[in-house]
Amino acid sequence: QVQLVESGGGSVQAGGSLRLSCAASVYIYGRNWMGWFRQAPGKEREGVAAMHTSGGGTYYYDSVKGRFTVSRDNTKNTVYLQMNSLKPEDTAMYFCAAGRPGSGVYPLTASEYVYWGQGTQVTVSS
């Protein structure tokens, strides 16, 4: 029923690129915001990027600005995260999520997201 399916993770060397995909069911896709989050071992989950599925507004975590790009294909109910110039500190499990952050709430707030994918591992070696 309610599904978010991520793909595209893998292992790359520093400076390399990966593109993550998140395919969502139509029901979820209508819930305004799609976000990408990551969690490294021993660390809290942090927001990486988010996109409004209709308006197209985007937000990025400071450390990924200029390197990561979030985009969408509404015909496929899919959101992408293009990651360039990857660094070892980008190593984490990456999750996509769907939610409706309230007005005035920072769109990269994990607690505002209701549906989550299973995650895809990204490993960047130096």
Side-chain angles (χ1 to χ4, degrees):
Q1 297 181 350
V2 176
Q3 279 191 322
L4 292 173
V5 181
E6 301 108 329
S7 60
S11 297
V12 296
Q13 291 189 330
S17 298
L18 285 172
R19 188 177 81 155
L20 306 183
S21 300
C22 175
S25 65
V26 174
Y27 175 76
I28 297 177
Y29 204 71
R31 295 186 69 87
N32 292 6
W33 286 89
M34 297 292 290
W36 286 98
F37 296 81
R38 66 187 182 188
Q39 188 166 19
K43 295 187 177 181
E44 293 188 356
R45 188 169 297 187
E46 63 183 12
V48 176
M51 167 172 272
H52 194 280
T53 55
S54 59
T58 57
Y59 283 85
Y60 294 95
Y61 188 53
D62 283 348
S63 69
V64 307
K65 287 180 180 177
R67 300 189 298 121
F68 290 11
T69 302
V70 60
S71 62
R72 72 192 193 277
D73 183 339
N74 288 352
T75 65
K76 298 180 179 179
N77 294 334
T78 299
V79 174
Y80 304 96
L81 184 67
Q82 178 66 45
M83 305 185 294
N84 298 328
S85 301
L86 282 161
K87 304 176 181 180
E89 51 263 43
D90 295 318
T91 295
M93 184 72 79
Y94 283 70
F95 301 87
C96 72
R100 287 181 174 176
S103 177
V105 175
Y106 184 51
L108 294 181
T109 302
S111 60
E112 295 290 316
Y113 287 77
V114 177
Y115 300 106
W116 292 82
Q118 80 287 353
T120 186
Q121 179 66 38
V122 172
T123 303
V124 185
S125 58
S126 58

